[in-house]
Amino acid sequence: MAAGSCLLLLLPWLVTASHSPPGCKIRITSKGLDLVKQEGLRFVEQELQNITMPDVHGKEGQFHYNISQVKVMDLQLASSNLHFQPQQHLVFNISNASISLRFRRQLLYWFFYDIGSINASADGVHIHTVLQLAKDEAGRLKISNMTCNASIARMHAGFSGTLRTVYEFLSTFIVTGMRFLLSQQICPSLEHASLVLLNSVLDTVPVRNYVDEHIGIDYSLLRDPAISTDTLDLDFKGMFFPRARENQELENHAVEPVIKETERMVYVAFSEYFFDSAMHSYFQAGVLAIELQGEKVPKDLEVLLRATFFGTIFMQSPAVDAPLRLVLQVSAPPRCIIKPSGTSVSVSAFLNISLVPPGRPAIQLSSMAMETKLSAKVFLQGKALRVQLDLRRFRIYSKQSALESLALFSLQAPLKTLLQLTIMPIINERTKKGVQIPLPEGMDFTKEVVTNHAGFLTVGADLHFSKGLREVIEKYRPAPTAPTYPSSWPAEPSRDPRQL
């Protein structure tokens, strides 16, 4: 009983531990799927037009025939549908399509030999495919399995030439064989297109890559996608890491993003953890520090600082004309706060003011603490998430005494100006590049709208294909392998009627 009670007490904790909250979440809606269907349909047409079929040869009495060099000439996909199917599937249907073919004929009847081409049409083509989506070992979204059924309702062939009557007699055998072989080639072609070619496009989604020389980001999926009848939700880790400690994990205590909207094609949500991990990584990388010395210190500020610390400077008379040095150092990882009213960043830092006499040790004049609050404007451009920071509140105080804090009050305004005119442009230049959102190559966002919530923000957008699927696939296409057919099928069509 005691063990059972302990298990019941631990059960809520175990459930929570198994469901790690995402730092980044992406939702694709039915509207986004409609755009994907349009691009995917063009891709399917191209793949089906490249179907390769083995030769068909046979014998009926004294008639020997060989059908070779089968080529798809035209494809008409009259009706198609792509939709979500819970829990992890996409369903793609093509109905009442038609496929036009042309192939080479060879016929030997006693001493009569005839060659030429035949035009054929496969009508009432129905294709039903189900794609299973899952997270692979690397944390990347992949098509893990595919089921396919294809059927052809009817097939017609047009014959011409000296033995047209004979061909029409044999059309039942030829057309039946061609219909069977064509239907057998559709699903393998689509299976290769999905499991190999489309997965090569998904391979372009960034999973774990470097942002700059200091930090990287982990976009690995935390779990398999969650699919409803109208949406596909992807939970990404969304954690930055310092490149010097790539295996470091920062525990996520932030609010989990919740996306309820379905009006736009896609929604991307970021929790406070997403931004906190970035600032924590930069802090650990030791780059949240700026030093100004000599001519880099604004002249007006230098005059004011020398006047403020005149007594100290006077006591160190040999160093009165020494250059000033300001060192601004963040003292703790900055924190991001996201509210419906806006996004802000709280920063604690210290500012050391020193004199640097040539050839002598630096003389510290003051070490003051700073507390600032920055307003953050988050926006999306293309696939890059960018942040524009602006100084909103600023306070300095002495770490030594309240009396010195009072004396520093006159420095509040000029130091704030220094931050706004000198430091903030440097910070915003670093954030200008932004970080890429985990979308495949060739797909971008348009008409972005940012909405703040309590603890997270969402970006609603439409999708745009800047590159076609075919263009991306050709760029990353695996090396081709030679098709293999059963030994009963000749690799090349016969050229000699005596071999028929």
Side-chain angles (χ1 to χ4, degrees), residues 78-328:
S79 176
S80 63
N81 175 261
L82 178 65
H83 64 271
F84 297 117
Q85 177 178 292
Q87 301 292 325
Q88 293 174 236
H89 299 93
L90 288 178
V91 179
F92 183 53
N93 289 318
I94 296 176
S95 302
N96 201 29
S98 63
I99 302 175
S100 298
L101 304 170
R102 174 175 290 178
F103 46 89
R104 183 175 182 267
R105 70 174 188 265
Q106 292 175 291
L107 178 66
L108 179 64
Y109 175 62
W110 291 100
F111 300 105
F112 298 98
Y113 175 61
D114 184 50
I115 62 172
S117 62
I118 300 177
N119 294 322
S121 174
D123 300 320
V125 179
H126 296 270
I127 306 172
H128 177 78
T129 58
V130 179
L131 306 178
Q132 182 175 0
L133 303 179
K135 175 181 77 73
D136 69 4
E137 293 181 358
R140 179 179 277 111
L141 180 67
K142 282 298 182 69
I143 301 172
S144 60
N145 193 22
M146 172 187 173
T147 58
C148 174
N149 292 299
S151 63
I152 300 174
R154 55 198 172 275
M155 192 163 186
H156 307 282
F159 300 98
S160 62
T162 57
L163 298 180
R164 175 181 177 182
T165 304
V166 175
Y167 270 112
E168 289 178 348
F169 172 75
L170 293 174
S171 64
T172 302
F173 304 103
I174 296 175
V175 170
T176 301
M178 290 300 301
R179 176 182 169 188
F180 172 77
L181 287 177
L182 179 60
S183 64
Q184 292 297 304
Q185 293 300 314
I186 291 175
C187 283
S189 176
L190 295 182
E191 183 176 351
H192 177 265
S194 301
L195 299 181
V196 178
L197 302 184
L198 289 183
N199 274 336
S200 71
V201 176
L202 294 176
D203 282 338
T204 66
V205 176
V207 172
R208 189 177 177 91
N209 63 322
Y210 295 141
V211 176
D212 54 30
E213 65 270 25
H214 305 295
I215 69 171
I217 187 168
D218 188 337
Y219 271 133
S220 57
L221 281 171
L222 295 174
R223 55 193 64 91
D224 289 335
I227 298 180
S228 69
T229 55
D230 300 314
T231 59
L232 182 152
D233 288 342
L234 301 167
D235 289 348
F236 296 93
K237 192 171 187 177
M239 184 197 77
F240 292 83
F241 56 87
R243 291 182 60 169
R245 304 181 185 91
E246 292 197 10
N247 296 323
Q248 175 179 283
E249 292 285 336
L250 182 64
E251 195 169 350
N252 186 354
H253 298 290
V255 174
E256 179 172 348
V258 177
I259 304 176
K260 297 181 179 179
E261 299 86 353
T262 58
E263 290 78 18
R264 306 296 293 275
M265 290 184 182
V266 64
Y267 291 88
V268 189
F270 305 94
S271 74
E272 292 174 344
Y273 172 80
F274 180 86
F275 301 100
D276 283 347
S277 66
M279 293 181 289
H280 189 273
S281 299
Y282 275 125
F283 177 78
Q284 288 200 319
V287 296
L288 298 184
I290 296 177
E291 179 178 315
L292 301 177
Q293 182 173 323
E295 295 181 354
K296 293 184 179 180
V297 180
K299 195 64 179 178
D300 294 343
L301 179 62
E302 181 183 1
V303 171
L304 184 60
L305 288 174
R306 289 183 180 275
T308 302
F309 300 105
F310 179 79
T312 306
I313 297 174
F314 184 76
M315 295 298 294
Q316 305 287 340
S317 56
V320 170
D321 294 329
L324 278 175
R325 180 172 67 190
L326 309 181
V327 177
L328 181 62

